[in-house]
């Protein structure tokens, strides 16, 4: 098994990336986030061997944010309770089967005499009473955890608009000064420790934003606006994915969440504000011309050029993003070229058509796009 | 009252008038006039010509001729007609200069000179500018042209493919031609130029194509660009400099044309200038509006979107802005700010204010101090529900949260509509009554914002719109508004939206036309219908009045349905689609049954006494 | 297996009235199903109402005349309907025949009125969600009218021919009368929803 | 009451006056199904219809299983290329749809159609023609869906077809229309059977079978049928709205015009959650039957069991919102549904307790049906506990729509319904066919199924928690899901082997299985009181019930009533609560009209996918069919005219 | 007899329809890249010299395919066709839901119009729209004029109800060469 089976892997391990990621490949401490319930001790105490496979860039068992931490606590409460109940039931079942079992043909029927079931009836009442008590406990715990998920909501420091499209994510950072608002695609950068409000909407079908390491999922529903409130605490790179079936390429609708220090975050934001750099080399210049004169500019925009289309991801800072095609491929020049050359083979049914850029033009185009840091 | 008393009173009145003209101070100080008067410097006495579509720099569209009056107008009859040979929407005003009438047609923008001295007004010459045919694809609302302008022996016209052309008024020869915009970006030109101090002022159209709006001054003699002021972008492009002194704080700040937009959105942000310009020679300021921001979908352009949807006062020589007032910051409903600006001096709280009157798209009639840009009044002349009023302290319009457009959600019953309570079709102002005569719509709409995708040369709108009759069930109205009393004097309900201009005359008459082809004269005081005539096609043109070479008074108007309101007829649109013509088709789906295409000049006069 | 005869049932009758019949229970079953469908459609109506600022959105509510006429007619039809049921239970064949014919005539009349009702809704089903739900609810109810009128027509043919002598036909008349009661009972809240509620909010 | 009813005619009647062989011969002539195709098409015998219902349902189970295997093979490795996204989407939608609508509900109702009349001791189900009709409609719906699927027109929006994805704009073509219409088919069939079962249970029980003596399986089917009556109208409305949105431009789910996508979810889950219990409650009844027979004692706590069934049914309607915790509904509202969802664990807990208590107190025999019951308890309790977890809003927000949920509901549905169903197959197969299934193959069958099931579905819990969403046709290699997915695929193959073994067992046993005799398990309920397979008339004499387990109570001498006619189809009606004999009701004869009506309604439904006017012209043949169906016929003996219903 | 034949005939008709379904529901994602919409078979009139040439394969492939038409519907919005033609009723450009066609109303004519542009304001999208999407758009435009089978035409979209969905309108024969609208006669350019 490849990947993040080992929880000590660097947090920037996903996606595989040739160069350093914006978030930096930090060796994050294993459980930086301690939820009030002391999840860390739970982890240590539970001898479940499978747990080693539980951390990772898209795992609810490896919380990196306050909310995911609380939910993690809830999980361990539920797990412990249910495991205990299950154990009791199974033991009793074993006993019942072993007690007077027979391997033979039936002989006669046990008569039910008056009063014979009285003892069982008593235990049934105990059983029901126990069930009620346990359930009341769980309901209370669930309600408490649910409340704790939003208790920081009035301390919002950052609002991010997330719009689900078939099959990518449009991310906007609105600002009171509209000229400082930025738009990107398939990546969310968050400052560590800051309370963030994600505003979720969709224009086409229902999607669901799920970043397990930070929070549970919330649907993006056409005609409605939902909110998800979270605090990311541990720096690192996480993965989120659409969790509501949304059509052909539901499987390839992922996004990268980079949690970084406030300084790094601000630097990233400043970089995003700049329009696309002018092409430096002749090849890049030609690539820009190819972009503007071909089908690319019908859907994609690059700020600073005349291409301002907006039905597909904005490419102004394409080369700074960790993935292309909504988490389908890690970003690098080779993948980019392969993607442009035949997007329908990599992600069949997605809305990027086979444009058929001739090979020399393709090289130039990729060179230009690769300059859009 | 005896006859003698009458004569005495009349004499006194004449004397007072003479005194008032000779010594303005005398007239003002003791008792300000009870009604508004046109800005004196901008409205010279009528010479019987009609040399600019708005009649004068004050944009009064008032003729001092009174041969035709309320008493005899019922005898008015056709004097002659002229077929323009084009059957698109005729929004232009004919010009009459020294015995020649100049008529500019919609695309292909032919300019006809008619010799009024001869019976039947034969054609003197025709100028064909041959604009690019593909320009038809970037004309949002029919291939209209709003008229020529005359100055210094030249006729100036704009063409649909964004050229401005000067033609010798006598010979019909082209003097110069300047390309001002690129149709491949969606830029076109439809407005009537205004010539001020030897400069031809023009602006571009194409707010629905994501163009960047501007107003430009060309040297009337050579056609060279003297200055160009954009409606979006950094201050140096907008020509905002040290002279800029807006009244309200919200208009102050550096490079607001950049910072009130999302990054780079101002480059495709609209704010075109395709309507009317007025000029006050006394203050030496031109006044013009700026169009709607692009796209219509407001969610794609958070911020105030300066300098769209507002009014600029500029120095005509340098283009430097003096003041600006944003009527609709962050415009939500395509409330283009390009309507006419009537310059009047009017009594206000005991003093006389130099003001401009603007019946705005958003349903308010603004009275603004034209020296400073202070809003004196903004009163609804239409049952507005998209906004709840204008805060006169801050100048801020109060949007109604209930009617805020949302992506993917139809917001119902927004009044007024995208074409506004009143669109470009200009009002008239009569100094005799002190009343503004406003031909306008009575429509409401359903609106849904959708994602607009910018592709240069194609529309950039992002809204589905469906219009229908507003409160009362009628779709148009002709309103007489007293700007001093701040109330309606009277109103005529019209079944169809009104898309023609208005004309007021000293004969106490007001003329306007309807979409189904009626040309009407009503009494300026009461609104009583005195005369009407059915023309061959719907009227969306601007009526004028002139004194012919024979000394008689004539009324002229172009008939030819079209424009945004009449696109269903001019463009053969299909009424099954409620969103056709950006929703207007739904409001006038009965129009094809009530009128047909046409392109005809009608000139009326009283029967000759001979 | 040995048998142990404990009871003779040969004296039992072969048909009964009301709840002792299978058909009665079957009819009740389908009334439950359809009644619950009406309830859910009503909830949908209220749910959609919450999505709108104005209800109806931008058009006048359905005109009262035909709907009210329908309500009056349906409520009044309960009288002959109950009479029909009573006659059938008394096994009074001639009067049952008259009653069935009267109910058939009323049924046809309701269909005519329903036609006019559809013409004054002031909205089409494809205009907006409001139009969709009122057309659907009215259509659902019309479906019940149509099936019941069809049912009554077949019953009329049966009862007017030699089949009419069969006491089971009279049992069918009572079941049919019960179903008509349901159709009327379903209509009254629908009338309130479609015609009165939009005027009240 | 007319006088002639009170005086019995001179016809032949069962009872002491008639020779037993002669009784059976005449009853067979009256009740038997004609041989040949015509008989097959016209029969109204609940056993024949129930049998073909069961077989059809099982065939759909196999088809759904094959689709599941395809999915597992596609997901066995990352970036699999066995099928593309379009096919995969159709496959999982077909899988869910088949299993829920064409297998689970119908087969439970099929078992009821077969067993309920036998267990309540009557000769046929109520409304037997409606019964035939419902089978034909169900068959037509299933065939339609599969033909469409094979023609690349299978549903593609999942078995719950969320709008707008399944709406007119995002689901082009006719794929979703066929799906929505299939809903209509199955709901017509299910509602018809529900009414039949309710009426059969309430009115046709054997004399003496008062409500407190009704077997638990019959109770469960009665409760289930009531749930069907209240749940199905919701999906009927929803699928009608959907198809109207798609075909005639209504706006129920168009947010721009005042509709709401969440309206679909409310309506769907208001049906969809009870649907789970509709599948699961009959299985509880089967488990109770098996447990009682295998433990050699009546089920402990009959009354608590019945109350638990009813409580489950009521609660089942109150927790649909727990499928919508991630839709952003108001927080306080959803907390109520957390509580309601958890509370449903109480009746389930009671039932589990009662079964184990019965086994504990009885003498359980290790026969295959019991194995499946044990498998049921082991699996279902785990699924139930994960269900309790899912009721917690915060936890559900994490695992909703992930493989955790996939694991959960397979534990609940396969554990809670399929394992009991296989147990029931082993248990009642002798009754239906007269031959026993092989115990040896049965143990292998169980072993493979049980182990395979856990290998396939247990890892999915973890997969969901480490991030794997549902309904993805592939996944990237970097996320480390490959190992667990491969394990799951191996488990799926084991299940397939187990099911294959079952089929072998059936085929072998049909020919060479041990002859069962009337009551091979020594069980106590009435279906075992007649021969295996039962005769067309079920019982030569209607039994009289004196206890919960009549065969055990009567110690071999079953009391019966006599006096029903043998030359006419006649059933005995009893009163609702106490089951006193009330009426001798004529029962309809075979007829072709239900089949013709079903064909007519099929044409109507399918035609309406292509043109709304089909609803109008399609209703003409339907009306003809129905009139033919209900047109009264004179009976062969003129004294007592018969109604056909 | 009637009630027995009717279902049989309908079932037969249904089978035929279902066989057509394979084609209707096919989803081909990888079309031709940007190239030329081959002008070979484009005609704008109904008068032929000699035998008419057979229709090109795209007609069946795109006009009979629900997926392509629905993609065309999406692109119609994305590429701002709706900006000029509204939802078929027309605006700046002529209406597309009527049967009046200046440059021919067949699939190939419409595709050619998209690629080449037309002098009176229709922009050319040559090299801007890949061929497959041109065909998809053209097929959608054909559905607006009700010239495709009803079972492949799209239903209403999830937006403002501007015009009835293509599917809920009767199929009609489009004039192959198209008529000339009165408006194009006046300007004469």
């Amino acid at each position: 098994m490849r990947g993040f089976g080992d929880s000590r892997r660097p947090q920037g391990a996903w996606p595989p990336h040739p160069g350093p990621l914006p978030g930096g490949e930090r060796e994050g401490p294993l459980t930086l986030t301690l939820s009030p319930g002391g999840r860390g001790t739970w982890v240590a105490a539970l001898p479940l061997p499978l747990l080693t496979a539980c951390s990772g860039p898209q795992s609810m068992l490896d919380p990196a944010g306050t909310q995911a931490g609380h939910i993690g606590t809830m999980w361990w409460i539920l797990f412990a309770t249910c495991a205990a109940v299950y154990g009791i039931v199974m033991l009793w079942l074993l006993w019942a089967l072993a007690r007077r079992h027979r391997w033979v043909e039936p002989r006669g029927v046990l008569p039910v005499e008056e009063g014979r079931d009285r003892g069982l009836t008593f235990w049934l009442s105990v059983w029901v009473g126990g069930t009620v008590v346990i359930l009341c406990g769980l309901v209370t715990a669930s309600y408490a955890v649910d409340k704790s998920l939003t208790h920081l909501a009035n301390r919002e420091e950052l609002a991010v608009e997330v719009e689900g499209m078939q099959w990518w994510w449009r991310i906007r950072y609105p600002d009171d000064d509209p000229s400082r608002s930025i738009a990107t695609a398939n990546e969310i950068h968050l400052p560590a420790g800051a309370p963030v409000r994600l505003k979720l909407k969709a224009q086409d079908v229902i999607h669901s934003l799920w970043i397990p390491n930070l929070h549970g999922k919330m649907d993006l529903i056409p005609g409605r606006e939902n909110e998800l409130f979270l605090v990311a605490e541990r720096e690192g790179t996480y993965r989120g994915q659409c969790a509501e079936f949304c059509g052909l390429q539901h499987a390839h609708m992922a996004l990268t969440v980079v949690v970084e220090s406030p300084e790094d975050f601000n630097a990233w934001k400043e970089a995003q504000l700049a329009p696309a750099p002018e092409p430096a080399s002749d090849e890049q210049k030609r690539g820009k011309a190819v972009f503007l004169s071909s089908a690319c500019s019908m859907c994609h925009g690059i700020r600073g050029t005349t291409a301002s289309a907006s039905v597909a991801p904005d490419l102004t800072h394409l080369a700074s993003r960790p993935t292309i095609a909504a988490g389908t491929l890690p970003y690098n020049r080779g993948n980019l070229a392969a993607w442009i050359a035949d997007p329908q083979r990599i992600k069949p049914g997605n809305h990027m058509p086979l444009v058929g850029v001739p090979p020399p033009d393709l090289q130039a185009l990729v060179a230009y796009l690769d300059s859009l840091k | 009252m005896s006859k003698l008393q009458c004569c005495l009173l009349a004499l006194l009145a004449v004397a007072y008038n003479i005194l008032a003209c000779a010594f303005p101070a005398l007239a003002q100080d003791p008792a300000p006039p009870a009604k508004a008067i046109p800005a004196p410097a901008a409205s010279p006495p009528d010479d019987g010509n009609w040399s600019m579509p708005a009649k004068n720099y004050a944009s009064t569209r008032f003729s001092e001729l009174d041969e035709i009056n309320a008493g005899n107008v019922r005898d008015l009859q056709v004097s002659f007609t002229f077929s323009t040979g084009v059957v698109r929407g005729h929004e232009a005003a004919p010009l009459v200069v020294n015995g020649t009438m100049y008529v500019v047609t919609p695309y292909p923008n032919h300019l006809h000179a008619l010799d009024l001295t001869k019976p039947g007004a034969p054609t003197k010459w025709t100028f064909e500018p041959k604009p690019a045919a593909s320009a038809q694809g970037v004309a949002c609302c029919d291939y209209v042209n709003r008229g020529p302008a005359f100055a210094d022996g030249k006729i100036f016209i704009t063409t649909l493919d964004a050229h401005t052309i000067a033609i010798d008024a006598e010979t019909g020869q082209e003097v110069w031609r300047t390309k001002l915009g690129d149709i491949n970006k969606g830029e076109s030109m439809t407005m009537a130029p205004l010539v001020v101090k030897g400069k031809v002022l023009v602006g571009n159209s194409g707010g629905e194509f994501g163009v960047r709006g501007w107003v430009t001054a060309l040297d009337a003699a050579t056609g060279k660009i003297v200055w160009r002021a954009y409606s979006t972008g950094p201050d140096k492009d907008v020509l905002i400099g040290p002279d800029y002194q807006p009244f309200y704080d919200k208009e102050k700040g550096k490079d607001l044309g950049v910072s009130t937009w999302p990054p780079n959105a101002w480059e495709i942000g609209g704010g075109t200038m395709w309507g009317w310009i007025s000029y006050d020679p006394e203050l030496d300021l031109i006044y013009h509006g700026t169009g709607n921001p692009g796209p219509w979908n407001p969610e794609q352009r958070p911020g105030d979107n300066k300098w769209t949807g507002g009014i600029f006062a500029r120095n005509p020589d340098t283009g430097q802005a003096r003041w600006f007032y944003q009527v609709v910051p962050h415009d939500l409903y395509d409330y283009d700010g390009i309507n006419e600006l009537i310059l009047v001096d009017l009594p206000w709280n005991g003093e006389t204010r130099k003001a401009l009157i603007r019946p705005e798209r958003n349903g308010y009639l603004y009275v603004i101090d034209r020296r400073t840009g202070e809003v004196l009044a903004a009163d609804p002349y239409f049952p507005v529900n998209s906004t709840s009023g204008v805060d006169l302290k801050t100048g801020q319009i109060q949007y109604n949260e209930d009617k805020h457009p949302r992506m993917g959600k139809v917001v119902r019953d927004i009044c007024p509509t995208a074409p506004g309570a009143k669109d470009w079709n200009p009002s008239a102002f009569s100094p005799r009554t002190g009343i503004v005569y406003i031909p306008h719509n009575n429509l409401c709409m359903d609106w849904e914002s959708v994602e607009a995708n910018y592709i240069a040369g194609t529309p950039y709108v992002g809204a589905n719109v469906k219009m229908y009759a507003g409160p009362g069930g009628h779709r148009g109205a002709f309103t007489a508004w007293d700007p001093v009393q701040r109330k309606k004097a009277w109103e005529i309900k019209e079944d169809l939206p009104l898309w023609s201009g208005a004309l007021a005359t000293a004969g106490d008459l007001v003329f306007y036309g309807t979409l189904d082809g009626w040309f009407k004269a009503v009494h300026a005081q009461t609104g009583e219908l005195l005369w009407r005539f059915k023309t061959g096609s719907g009227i969306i043109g601007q009526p004028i009045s002139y004194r012919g070479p024979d000394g008689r008074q004539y009324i002229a108007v172009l008939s030819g349905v079209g424009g945004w309101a009449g696109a269903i007829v001019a463009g053969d649109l299909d009424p099954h689609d409620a969103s056709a013509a950006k929703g207007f088709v739904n409001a006038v789906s009965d129009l094809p049954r009530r009128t047909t295409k046409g392109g005809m000049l009608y000139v009326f006069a009283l029967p000759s006494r001979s | 297996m040995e048998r142990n005869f404990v009871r003779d049932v040969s004296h039992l009758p072969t048909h009964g009235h009301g709840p002792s019949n299978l058909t009665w229970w079957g009819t009740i079953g389908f009334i439950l199903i359809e009644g619950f469908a009406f309830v859910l459609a009503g909830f949908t109506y209220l749910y959609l109402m919450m999505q709108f600022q104005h209800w109806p959105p931008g058009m006048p509510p359905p005109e009262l005349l035909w709907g009210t006429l329908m309500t009056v007619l349906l409520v009044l039809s309960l009288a002959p309907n109950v009479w029909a049921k009573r006659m059938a239970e008394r096994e009074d064949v001639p009067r049952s025949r008259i009653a069935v014919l009267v109910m058939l005539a009323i049924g046809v009349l309701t269909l005519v009125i329903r036609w006019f009702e559809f013409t004054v809704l002031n909205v089409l089903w494809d205009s907006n969600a409001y139009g969709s739900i009122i057309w659907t609810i009215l259509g659902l109810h019309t479906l019940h009218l149509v099936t019941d009128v069809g049912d009554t027509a077949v019953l009329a043919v049966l009862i007017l021919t030699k089949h009419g002598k069969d006491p089971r036909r009279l049992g069918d008349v009572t079941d049919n009368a019960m179903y008509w009661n349901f159709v009327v009972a379903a209509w009254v809240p629908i009338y309130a929803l479609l015609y009165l509620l939009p005027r009240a909010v | 009451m007319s006088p002639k009813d009170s005086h019995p005619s001179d016809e032949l009647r069962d009872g002491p006056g008639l020779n037993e062989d002669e009784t059976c011969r005449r009853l067979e002539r009256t009740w038997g199904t004609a041989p040949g195709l015509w008989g097959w098409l016209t029969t109204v015998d609940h056993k024949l219809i129930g049998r073909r219902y069961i077989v059809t349902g099982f065939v759909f189970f196999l088809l759904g299983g094959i689709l599941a295997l395809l999915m597992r093979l596609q997901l066995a490795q990352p970036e699999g290329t066995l099928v593309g996204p379009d096919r995969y989407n159709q496959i999982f939608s077909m899988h869910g749809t088949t299993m829920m609508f064409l297998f689970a509900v119908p087969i439970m109702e099929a078992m009821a159609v077969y067993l309920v009349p036998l267990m309540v001791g009557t000769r046929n189900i109520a409304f037997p023609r409606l019964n035939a009709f419902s089978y034909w409609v169900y068959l037509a719906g299933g065939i339609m869906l599969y033909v469409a699927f094979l023609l690349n027109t299978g549903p593609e929006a999942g078995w719950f077809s969320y709008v707008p994805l399944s709406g007119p704009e995002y689901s082009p073509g006719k794929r979703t229309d066929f799906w929505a219409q299939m809903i209509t088919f199955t709901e017509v069939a299910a509602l018809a059977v529900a009414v039949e079962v309710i009426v059969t249970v309430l009115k046709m029980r054997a004399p003496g079978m008062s409500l407190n003596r009704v077997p638990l399986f019959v109770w469960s089917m009665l409760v289930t049928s009531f749930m069907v009556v209240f749940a199905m109208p919701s999906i009927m409305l929803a699928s009608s709205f959907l198809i109207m949105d798609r075909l005639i431009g209504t706006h129920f789910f168009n947010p721009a015009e005042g509709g709401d996508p969440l309206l679909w979810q409310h309506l769907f889950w208001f049906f969809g959650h009870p649907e789970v219990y509709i599948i699961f409650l009959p299985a509880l009844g089967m488990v109770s039957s098996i447990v009682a027979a295998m433990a050699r004692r009546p089920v402990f706590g009959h009354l608590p069991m019945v109350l638990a069934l009813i409580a489950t049914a009521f609660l089942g309607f109150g927790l649909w919102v727990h499928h919508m915790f991630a839709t952003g509904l108001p927080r306080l509202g959803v907390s109520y549904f957390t509580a309601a969802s958890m509370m449903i664990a109480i009746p389930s807990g009671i039932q589990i307790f009662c079964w184990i208590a019965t086994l504990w107190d009885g003498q359980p025999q290790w026969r295959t049906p019991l194995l499946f019951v044990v498998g049921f308890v082991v699996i279902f309790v785990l699924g139930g506990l994960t269900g309790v977890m899912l009721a917690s809003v915060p936890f559900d927000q994490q695992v909703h729509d992930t493989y955790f949920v996939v694991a959960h509901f397979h534990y609940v549905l396969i554990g809670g319904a399929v394992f009991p169903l296989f147990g029931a197959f082993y248990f009642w197969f002798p009754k239906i066919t007269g031959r026993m299934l092989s115990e040896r193959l049965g143990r292998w069958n169980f072993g493979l199924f049980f182990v395979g099931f856990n290998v396939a579905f247990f890892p999915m819990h973890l997969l969901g928690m480490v991030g794997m969403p549902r309904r993805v046709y592939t996944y990237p290699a970097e996320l480390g899901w490959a190992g667990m997915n491969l394990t799951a695929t191996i488990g799926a193959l084991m299940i397939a082997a187990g099911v294959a073994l079952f089929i072998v067992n059936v085929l072998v046993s049909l020919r060479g299985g041990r002859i069962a005799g009337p009551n091979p398990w020594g069980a106590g309920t009435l279906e075992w009181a007649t021969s295996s397979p039962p005769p067309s008339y079920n019982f030569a004499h209607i039994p009289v019930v004196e206890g919960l387990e009549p065969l055990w109570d009567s110690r071999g001498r079953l009391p019966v009533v006599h006096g029903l006619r043998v030359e006419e189809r006649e059933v005995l009606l009893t009163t609702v609560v106490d089951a006193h004999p009330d009426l001798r009701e004529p029962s309809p004869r075979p007829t072709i009209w239900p089949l013709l009506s079903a064909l007519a309604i099929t044409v109507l439904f399918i035609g309406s996918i292509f043109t709304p006017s089909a609803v109008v012209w399609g209703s003409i043949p339907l009306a003809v069919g129905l009139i033919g169906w209900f047109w009264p016929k004179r009976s062969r003996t003129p004294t007592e005219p018969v109604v056909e219903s | 007899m009637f009630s027995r034949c009717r279902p049989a005939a309908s079932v037969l008709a249904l089978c035929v329809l279902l066989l057509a379904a394979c084609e209707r529901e096919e989803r081909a994602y990888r079309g031709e890249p940007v190239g030329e919409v081959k002008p070979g078979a484009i005609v704008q009139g109904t008068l032929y010299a000699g035998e008419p040439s057979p229709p090109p394969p795209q007609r069946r492939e795109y006009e009979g395919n629900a997926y392509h038409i629905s993609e065309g519907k999406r692109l119609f919005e994305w590429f701002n066709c709706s900006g000029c033609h509204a939802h078929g009723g027309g605006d700046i450009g002529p209406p597309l839901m009527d049967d009046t066609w200046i440059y021919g109303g067949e699939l190939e004519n419409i595709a050619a119009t998209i690629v080449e542009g037309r002098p009176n304001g229709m922009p050319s999208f040559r090299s801007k729209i890949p061929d497959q999407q041109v065909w998809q758009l053209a097929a959608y435009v054909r559905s607006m004029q009700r010239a495709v089978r009803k079972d492949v035409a799209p239903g209403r979209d999830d937006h403002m109800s501007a015009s009835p969905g293509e599917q809920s309108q009767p199929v009609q024969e489009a004039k192959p060469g198209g008529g000339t609208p009165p408006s194009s006669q006046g300007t004469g350019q």
Side-chain angles (χ1 to χ4, degrees), chain D residues 313-371:
Chain D
F314 271 99
L315 287 173
F317 280 98
L319 34 80
W320 78 94
V321 169
H322 81 211
H323 297 264
M324 298 166 67
F325 282 160
T327 56
L329 292 174
R331 267 330 225 222
L332 194 64
V334 298
S335 296
Y336 159 78
F337 287 94
T338 296
S341 307
M342 287 197 179
M343 288 312 136
I344 207 158
I346 296 172
S348 301
I350 291 173
Q351 287 160 332
I352 295 287
F353 181 93
C354 289
W355 291 316
I356 300 181
T358 310
L359 292 172
W360 182 84
D361 190 54
Q363 304 172 19
Q365 319 162 47
W366 279 108
R367 306 291 293 272
T368 311
L370 186 65
L371 289 182

Side-chain angles (χ1 to χ4, degrees), chain A residues 174-185:
Chain A
D175 198 295
D176 289 340
D177 177 353
S179 59
R180 292 187 55 79
S181 60
I182 55 182
T184 176

Side-chain angles (χ1 to χ4, degrees), chain A residues 125-188:
Chain A
S125 348
V126 172
W127 175 256
V128 171
T131 316
V132 170
V133 168
I134 289 172
L135 290 178
C136 286
L138 290 181
V139 168
T140 313
S142 169
Y143 183 70
V145 169
D146 198 26
K147 266 199 87 105
S148 75
L149 296 185
T150 48
H151 84 282
L152 283 170
N154 48 6
R155 273 193 29 220
E156 166 188 346
E157 284 177 15
L158 178 69
V160 183
E161 289 177 11
V162 179
E163 191 178 351
M165 325 278 280
Q166 275 182 330
W167 291 275
W168 60 284
W169 304 90
R170 181 177 2 234
I171 315 292
R172 288 200 184 92
Y173 289 77
D175 198 295
D176 289 340
D177 177 353
S179 59
R180 292 187 55 79
S181 60
I182 55 182
T184 176
N186 305 324
E187 57 164 355
I188 302 180

Side-chain angles (χ1 to χ4, degrees), chain B residues 549-571:
Chain B
D550 55 359
R552 294 164 59 205
Q553 183 186 358
Y554 290 85
I555 310 284
V557 72
L558 280 162
S559 155
V561 77
W564 189 355
I568 182 171
V569 179

